[in-house]
Amino acid sequence: MDLLIFDKDNRDLIQAVENSFGPSGRPLSKPGRILMGQGHLMKRGRRKVQPKAFFLFNDVLVYGSIIFNGRWHKKQKIIPLEDIQLDDMEDGELFKNQWLIRTPCKSFFVAAHSLEEKQAWMEHIEESRRNLLQSSSHQPGSAFAVSWIPDSAAYKCMRCLNKFTATNRRHHCRKCGFLVCNSCSKHRAVIGHIHPTKRLRICKLCYAINKEQVEETSPPRESTTGKNSSEEDDLGASSDEEEVEKMQYHTPSTWLNPQSGTWDSVGTSVYLKPMHLRP
């Protein structure tokens, strides 16, 4: 395929993705960036499982919420590929074809419509990440955020074992991901790979471990009231039932075939390297 046509088509596709997030989204067009694949995956959040649109580029993974029948998106998130680590996961009772995406700031579970689609996503992300690290000065991430235990997984504080109620609400320790009550998570600490300055909620056990580690330096000031981070979203008591928002329709994931410049659906062999890097 003619390289000029390939470049133009790629720019148009990236611009379309950028436009789909509206004015609130960050620009996605940049020299050398290639859209490698796109599709819809189910993402497990703290309280519910929701469909999200994912876009794999040769240097970043972008995702966001789906609105207006999938033609528009919001709440754009951009993750550099060098900061991603994938962990394969066994099927859960309700959450099948899942895997864990780990990043320094946040780790979360996603699931595909089928095992074949799951394998395609994991393979394409891993291959794109390897190509990026081999062809640039980017360094792979070394510290990753823990994945949060879903609200529905525990009805008691995982530290003091007191039951959660409408007044004794669930919170998450940002250090270990455990579900804890407010009394067991009054401490705050900076977790560098999540944010360099914000003081985040941690449980009393993680605080004690952290205190031992920094005892020889100046210990962090302790704050026991109020919210010190925009990460704090522990508002309201949570339901014991995990809410699963079903996908209204399934859009099969598609992948760029740089050899032909066409887009192939799941199951088609794809050569991931851009045209100018092919032997």
Side-chain angles (χ1 to χ4, degrees):
M1 181 184 178
D2 186 88
L3 185 58
L4 293 177
I5 298 176
F6 176 88
D7 287 343
K8 181 183 183 304
D9 289 346
N10 177 66
R11 287 196 304 269
D12 291 345
L13 287 169
I14 294 177
Q15 190 62 55
V17 175
E18 181 179 314
N19 293 342
S20 74
F21 283 96
S24 62
R26 289 164 56 189
L28 296 174
S29 300
K30 62 175 289 188
R33 177 167 288 170
I34 299 173
L35 179 61
M36 308 301 296
Q38 57 186 323
H40 292 172
L41 300 172
M42 300 299 293
K43 177 179 177 291
R44 190 168 77 187
R46 180 187 167 182
R47 294 186 179 91
K48 62 173 65 175
V49 177
Q50 291 181 307
K52 302 284 184 181
F54 280 77
F55 304 92
L56 175 62
F57 297 86
N58 61 334
D59 61 336
V60 294
L61 180 67
V62 177
Y63 71 92
S65 300
I66 304 168
I67 56 176
F68 295 125
N69 295 322
R71 292 194 298 174
W72 298 94
H73 307 102
K74 63 178 181 178
K75 297 182 180 178
Q76 181 197 70
K77 305 292 183 185
I78 303 176
I79 310 172
L81 289 186
E82 67 269 22
D83 287 342
I84 286 179
Q85 182 182 83
L86 303 184
D87 289 339
D88 196 1
M89 306 296 294
E90 294 182 357
D91 286 350
E93 186 175 342
L94 298 175
F95 210 52
K96 301 185 183 301
N97 306 312
Q98 65 174 324
W99 70 99
L100 177 64
I101 297 179
R102 292 164 59 85
T103 80
C105 295
K106 184 179 183 181
S107 298
F108 54 91
F109 293 92
V110 294
H113 185 71
S114 66
L115 176 60
E116 187 180 28
E117 191 170 21
K118 166 190 171 178
Q119 292 172 337
W121 269 101
M122 293 188 70
E123 290 169 4
H124 282 77
I125 292 173
E126 291 282 18
E127 183 69 16
S128 295
R129 183 176 181 272
R130 280 195 298 270
N131 289 339
L132 175 69
L133 293 174
Q134 290 171 2
S135 62
S136 69
S137 60
H138 292 86
Q139 296 297 317
S142 57
F144 300 94
V146 296
S147 57
W148 288 6
I149 293 177
D151 285 6
S152 58
Y155 67 95
K156 293 181 178 180
C157 172
M158 300 177 78
R159 292 303 180 208
C160 69
L161 303 183
N162 286 332
K163 286 186 177 181
F164 293 122
T165 65
T167 54
N168 188 36
R169 301 178 304 181
R170 291 169 171 82
H171 300 275
H172 277 95
C173 172
R174 272 45 175 186
K175 190 79 171 177
C176 66
F178 276 26
L179 280 164
V180 291
C181 65
N182 185 60
S183 296
C184 291
S185 59
K186 289 182 177 294
H187 301 290
R188 303 291 187 272
V190 172
I191 305 175
H193 58 82
I194 297 180
H195 195 281
T197 59
K198 286 182 180 177
R199 302 170 66 77
L200 306 175
R201 180 188 294 270
I202 60 173
C203 69
K204 58 185 181 182
L205 178 59
C206 289
Y207 175 78
I209 296 173
N210 185 68
K211 187 177 180 181
E212 288 180 7
Q213 293 174 343
V214 300
E215 214 163 34
E216 294 182 0
T217 62
S218 57
R221 270 188 317 174
E222 177 184 329
S223 173
T224 57
T225 59
K227 293 183 178 181
N228 296 324
S229 168
S230 59
E231 295 284 336
E232 295 290 339
D233 58 355
D234 302 313
L235 298 176
S238 307
S239 167
D240 287 335
E241 297 296 325
E242 187 173 44
E243 183 180 344
V244 179
E245 183 178 319
K246 294 190 180 298
M247 204 177 287
Q248 298 295 325
Y249 50 87
H250 174 63
T251 303
S253 299
T254 54
W255 308 100
L256 173 67
N257 186 333
Q259 289 180 310
S260 62
T262 60
W263 284 78
D264 302 320
S265 59
V266 171
T268 304
S269 178
V270 174
Y271 197 109
L272 282 175
K273 287 190 178 180
M275 291 185 66
H276 64 283
L277 295 180
R278 287 191 279 126

